């Protein structure tokens, strides 16, 4: 551990004795009872997480054309449409992963993605067409990318842990694409959209 990390831990706020006691006393209230079909092995959680991101990617395929249609900057619209084609390939790649696992490719509603897409719709309603809306589209898109980066990073780790190395390779490709998409959006924001939005 680096010295700066140790120093950060020393400076971190420590819970008071009364807070620790309250937490311990309330532990029973905070325990969540598992559902009847709850995952009992990491592979079960991995497959469940795959279903989640499969739903999310399919939902994104439906949402990206609206984002592109509402973008004013050609560079932004182009980046969104390019990512639409990449996302369609990612859906196919997830289907390959399901196939490797001997599982049917099916989605389970991803509440996180549903919420992010709803927020994206709200941003469109709350901004006038032009650079400010473009900035909002980028903000919404980057939130989605960051969620996907976190999801695929976890999926890669799970795949490796359970010995599904071929699945891990496929998921790593998608993880790299999501990171690249985030960088592209960042470049468009910093080099084009944000300056135009300030000038509005």
């Amino acid at each position: 551990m680096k010295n700066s990390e140790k120093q950060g831990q020393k400076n971190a706020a420590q819970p008071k004795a009364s807070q620790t006691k309250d937490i311990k006393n309330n532990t029973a209230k905070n325990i969540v009872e598992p559902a009847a079909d709850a995952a009992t092995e990491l592979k079960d959680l991995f497959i469940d997480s795959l279903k989640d991101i499969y739903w999310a990617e399919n939902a994104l395929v439906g949402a990206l054309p609206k984002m592109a249609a509402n973008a004013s900057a050609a560079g932004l619209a182009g980046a969104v449409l390019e990512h639409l084609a990449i996302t369609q390939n990612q859906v196919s790649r997830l289907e390959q992963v399901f196939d490797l696992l001997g599982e049917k490719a099916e989605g389970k509603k991803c509440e996180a993605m549903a919420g992010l897409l709803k927020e994206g719709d709200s941003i469109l309603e709350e901004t006038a067409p032009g650079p400010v809306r473009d900035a909002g589209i980028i903000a919404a898109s980057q939130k989605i990318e960051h969620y996907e980066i976190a999801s695929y990073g976890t999926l890669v780790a799970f795949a490796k842990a359970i010995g599904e190395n071929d699945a891990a390779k496929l998921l790593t490709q998608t993880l790299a694409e999501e990171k690249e998409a985030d960088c592209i959006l960042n470049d468009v924001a910093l080099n084009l959209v944000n300056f135009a939005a300030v000038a509005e």
Side-chain angles (χ1 to χ4, degrees), residues 84-105:
L84 172 60
I86 290 168
T87 303
Q88 289 166 331
N89 287 336
Q90 291 171 345
V91 169
S92 298
R93 196 177 291 138
L94 283 168
E95 290 167 354
Q96 287 179 262
V97 173
F98 278 112
D99 192 50
L100 284 170
L101 298 169
E103 296 285 332
K104 179 184 175 186

Side-chain angles (χ1 to χ4, degrees), residues 41-47 50 97 101 155-165 167-168 171:
E41 297 179 5
L42 186 59
K43 186 171 183 178
D44 298 332
L45 180 58
F46 175 59
I47 292 168
L50 282 173
V97 173
L101 298 169
L155 286 167
V156 169
F158 284 178
K160 288 178 179 177
I162 62 174
E164 294 289 347
N165 294 324
L171 294 165

